[in-house]
Amino acid sequence: MRKHLYLYLLVAIVAVSGCTAPRSVIHSGKVTPKGQFKAGFNVGANIATEPLGQIDDVTEAAVDAIAKKDTVMYNEQIDVFSKALVAYSLDPVGTTFDFYVRYGLAERVDVGYKYATGVHVFDAMYQFMGPTGTPDNPGVGDWYGSVGIQYSGQSSDFANKLFLDKLVPVLDFTAQRRDVVVPLVFSKSFGPEEEIGNISFGAVYNHTFIKYGFEPGRIFKDVAGEKVKVDGVFEKKSFPSFGLFVNGKIGFKYVYVLPAVTMYYQNYGTYQFLEGREFSFSGVTIIPSIGLQATFGGGRSGAR
């Protein structure tokens, strides 16, 4: 059964675009020159060990069996299902696909907007090291450094991409999350002002704020021979994630290919479940991606 589940997950990861908070770092240490635009798209995957481990304890047959019942008696299987839903909400496993545009707002500052399969993302970057010229008007130096901040938010429909969606009405599960990402990026230019690309690396901090809850109207427990509805649970939590990344940009002047990989470690913390249960989660997340980027606009920065 587990072999079949792994196959199901592999197909789902490859074939389905999941609503995953975009935490892959594709930035260079050089921000978009003032007055210039960048636009592009990325495809990738969010591969997280903790939700994969929790989903591994769930069989599709067991999910189908409980989903068809009007009345469900609370038992350990309910805990297994609940843990899988929460773990998946903390770090959704699946493919990622996003479109974005960036604009050089001021010298050393650019801003961006990204749409990632239902998730709206806003960010800004500040370049604290390296020249601010363009390939046509280059500055002196080929090392760059920048720091940024990114905000994104999403709701519980990210649990609807696997067979876990059949559990949502049984447990009446809801979740909302907000992510703040702070990348520190260094890059080495290939050609003047990254005319033919760059190699970038650095560290990234992410903080996730999540609200989740269960209101299981169809789940009962036995109390002195009587069926009693199980009380719901609603909680707010937050947790930090720490990561490293490396990415590249390969092309010429206006069009580039962007391969990247980002890896996080996170201790998600301890969470409340039905009937006073508590469970803790932690794990590693790997986010590989590849994208295409185009640069256009005049770019008014001088050679500095």
Side-chain angles (χ1 to χ4, degrees):
M1 179 61 74
R2 288 192 176 187
K3 290 182 179 180
H4 293 155
L5 180 56
Y6 283 128
L7 179 60
Y8 184 96
L9 285 173
L10 180 61
V11 171
I13 290 171
V14 172
V16 178
S17 292
C19 295
T20 303
R23 299 188 297 159
S24 176
V25 181
I26 64 168
H27 298 297
S28 161
K30 177 180 173 61
V31 302
T32 310
K34 183 180 178 181
Q36 198 170 85
F37 287 90
K38 293 177 182 176
F41 68 89
N42 295 290
V43 294
N46 197 78
I47 306 167
T49 59
E50 181 63 75
L52 282 173
Q54 296 298 331
I55 295 170
D56 188 39
D57 293 330
V58 179
T59 66
E60 189 170 6
V63 171
D64 287 338
I66 197 172
K68 296 175 182 177
K69 294 181 178 180
D70 294 327
T71 300
V72 179
M73 297 304 295
Y74 178 83
N75 55 32
E76 292 183 0
Q77 189 69 60
I78 299 299
D79 289 337
V80 172
F81 293 155
S82 302
K83 288 167 63 179
L85 283 170
V86 171
Y88 191 78
S89 300
L90 294 174
D91 208 347
V93 176
T95 56
T96 60
F97 188 84
D98 63 71
F99 296 92
Y100 64 89
V101 61
R102 305 195 64 77
Y103 176 68
L105 184 65
E107 189 172 284
R108 298 187 178 275
V109 176
D110 73 354
V111 293
Y113 168 75
K114 181 182 295 184
Y115 181 77
T117 320
V119 183
H120 300 281
V121 186
F122 303 90
D123 81 291
M125 297 289 293
Y126 169 71
Q127 182 181 328
F128 58 82
M129 184 178 79
T132 60
T134 67
D136 295 326
N137 187 19
V140 178
D142 56 6
W143 279 96
Y144 305 88
S146 64
V147 64
I149 186 167
Q150 171 184 291
Y151 170 83
S152 64
Q154 62 190 138
S155 60
S156 58
D157 59 358
F158 48 71
N160 294 338
K161 300 300 181 180
L162 298 175
F163 59 81
L164 295 178
D165 65 339
K166 300 176 184 178
L167 294 174
V168 173
V170 178
L171 292 161
D172 201 357
F173 176 73
T174 58
Q176 292 182 328
R177 64 180 289 160
R178 303 288 181 266
D179 286 271
V180 177
V181 180
V182 180
L184 175 64
V185 189
F186 297 94
S187 63
K188 172 72 166 62
S189 176
F190 300 151
E193 300 287 5
E194 301 185 344
E195 182 176 31
I196 59 175
N198 66 64
I199 181 73
S200 302
F201 59 90
V204 57
Y205 172 80
N206 179 87
H207 205 94
T208 299
F209 303 87
I210 187 164
K211 296 190 295 184
Y212 73 98
F214 298 94
E215 186 63 38
R218 293 159 58 181
I219 299 179
F220 294 79
K221 59 183 177 180
D222 188 297
V223 178
E226 293 187 7
K227 291 182 179 179
V228 178
K229 280 188 178 180
V230 171
D231 292 333
V233 174
F234 295 93
E235 291 286 325
K236 293 182 180 180
K237 299 284 289 187
S238 70
F239 61 89
S241 306
F242 303 91
L244 299 172
F245 66 88
V246 61
N247 67 58
K249 186 165 76 171
I250 306 164
F252 181 71
K253 212 167 190 177
Y254 303 116
V255 180
Y256 301 89
V257 175
L258 278 66
V261 62
T262 307
M263 182 173 69
Y264 290 93
Y265 170 77
Q266 50 258 309
N267 182 346
Y268 303 101
T270 301
Y271 293 79
Q272 299 292 323
F273 287 82
L274 300 175
E275 292 299 282
R277 303 289 199 275
E278 290 186 346
F279 299 103
S280 299
F281 305 100
S282 64
V284 172
T285 302
I286 300 174
I287 311 171
S289 69
I290 190 165
L292 189 67
Q293 183 182 92
T295 301
F296 53 96
R300 298 188 293 275
S301 289
R304 295 188 181 184

